[in-house]
Structures are given as structure tokens and as C-alpha cells.
Amino acid sequence: MSALLDITNVTKNYGLKTALNNVTFSLEKGRILGLMGPNGSGKTTLLKVLSGVQHPASGEVIIDGKHVGVETKAMVSFLPDVNPLFSWMKAEDAIDFYKDFFADFDKVKCYELLDFMKLNRTQKVRSMSKGMIEKLNLSLVFSRKARLFLLDEPLGGVDPVARERIVSTIIKTYSEDSSIIISTHLVHDVETIFDDVCMINEGEIILQGSAEDLRSEHAMSIDQLYIKMFADKI
Amino acid sequence: MEFEDNVPIYLQIVVLIKKRIIQGLLKPGDKIPSVRELAEEVKVNPNTISRAYQELERDKITETKRGMGTFISGDENMMEAIRSEFSASMVTRFIRDMRETGFSDEEILKLLASAINTEGGK
């Protein structure tokens, strides 16, 4: 296996506030990484840096051998934590919108995912619930033939049934050629789908490793380990 | 599927397959679900399922036929071995829990016997 993603000493500031401090990790091809940390820990900033939306103050991000930039943007599919769709759009408009934007977008796959998610293609975003919007966005993001998928809080504010659907979709979409990073603080609901785990606090990585190794080593679930790691920090 | 907290998930997948064997849901010669099928069914990372399957193959419980899938390879002896492995671990756990709670061995035996009688009378 080879590293699909290499992050070295990445630092990012917002004014005087340090959002990421000397973050270093790598992710191999075909792995699913859980990025965990409380609100404001730097998860979203890190994903934005990886997607190329934001630039680090210092450090290096390499995706599939290329420095983050125009070329890597074409390989990275990003689900932001805020809904990027216009409220007047129907699901099918959103699909056309993506099709125009991304050369690697697979419309047929997206309609399949929409059906699996039990979404109506003519429903407007305006009339959708939070869970439906999340499911629509996930369908769009997963319909690209990307190498790296970045999902920022895909489970936040979503009911348990929709959450199960989302988890199933992540497993369905998994391929040995691409990797997925999922940021979450709802650890319990998704920990079984992680290969690797990275816990981040105040912009610094405080724990990382293989999920199964951490379970054996600490004799607890990742959820329990998360609570232990952050109990005295929040 | 609910998983135990303190045991690696791939080992719990191994147990799941073994359980299906002794329950008769999977018999020698049967094809087991593909990695992807089981991953979707129990909502576990496909790499973790793969690792469990490697473990089963190493223990000669399954064998992979190229291009056809993975099959339960064992015979009656293997079934018996898995049954005793399971019963031993369940009994050990029960006794440990009872002792920890403060029951004497004598009491444990008595309680077990009377519970079985009541169950049998149902």
C-alpha cells in the first residue's frame, strides 16, 4: 500500500488564533479515517486545507504525489459542513449543477444513490429536512470518481434512520482505490467503519493509530477512548 | 449489530461466522457472504471483514476457491470443536460473573439446576 495523502507540519492561523498547529499524518489508499475532536478543534479547517479551499500558513499537503492545488481539487470530493446547494433547486437541478462542475461526476450513479436514500428527484431543497439535505449532498459527493472523499460531519443533526443509511452508503461507496476522511463527534455511530483514527484538539493531533489496534491496546471502544481523551479538555 | 467495546471488531466477526456455523445457518460447503455483502450487512469497514476472513481461512474454517468465493471447509469435527470452544467460553464467563457477584460454587450449581428444571417444565 502507498500513501494517498501526506500532510507534513501543517499550520494555519485565523488572525491570532491558531487553528492547526504542526499537523502531520498520512493516509494510505483504500482506508477510511475518522477525524475526531470537539467543536472548534480544527477538524473543518483541516478538511478545508485538504480540499484546497484554504491555504496553510506553512507545511505541505501532498495528495497522490501532487501538491494541493488545481490538480488535486479534481481528485478530491468534499462534503462541507454547511449546505452548498441553493434552496430553489430540485434534487435533479443539483445533479445537473454537479455534472456541469465536475468532469468525473457519474449521473447514473447519483440517481441510484438518490433512490437508495429514498429521495425524490423533483423535490426542492427548500422543502427538504436537514436529514434529506445531508443525504442529497452525500449522494452528490459520492457520485464523483474521486481519489479522496472528505466528509465534514455527515451525521450531524441527522436522525438515527438516516444516519444508518448514510453509514451504509459510505460502506457501499468504499473502494480500494480511494480513501475517505470523515470528521465527526458522533463517534459511536460510525466507529466500526474506520480503519484509522485521528483525534485532534485545539489544532493539534493528540492521538492517532489503527482503530483495531487502539481497541486492543486500550481494551475499550473508540467512543470510550474519545471520551477518556477529551474528558478533562472540554 | 452491536459490538462489544473491548474486543477488536475483526475477532467479533470471526465469532459471528462461527456462531452461524454452530447454529446451522452455515454448513460445510456453504458459501459465506462476500466481504462487501457482510460489510454492508453489519456496517463494518470492508478491510476489517477481510481481516476476519483471513483469520477464518488460517484456522481452516473456510477456504477460498479462486473466482468462486469463500466456502465453509470444515467437517463434523470442526463443528464440534467450535461448539466446545463456544460453550467453554460462555460457561467460564457465567461462573466468573457469579463468583464476582459473591455466589459460592455450591450455590451456583444449585441455582443452575433449579433454573434448568424450571425451564424444562415450560
Side-chain angles (χ1 to χ4, degrees), chain A residues 13 21 95 127 129 152:
Chain A
N13 310 300
N21 189 10
I95 290 173
S127 68
S129 68
D152 197 0

Side-chain angles (χ1 to χ4, degrees), chain A residues 136-149:
Chain A
L136 172 59
N137 276 308
L138 195 75
S139 305
L140 292 165
V141 162
F142 269 155
S143 298
R144 287 185 54 198
K145 289 190 192 74
R147 301 299 309 281
L148 180 63
F149 294 93

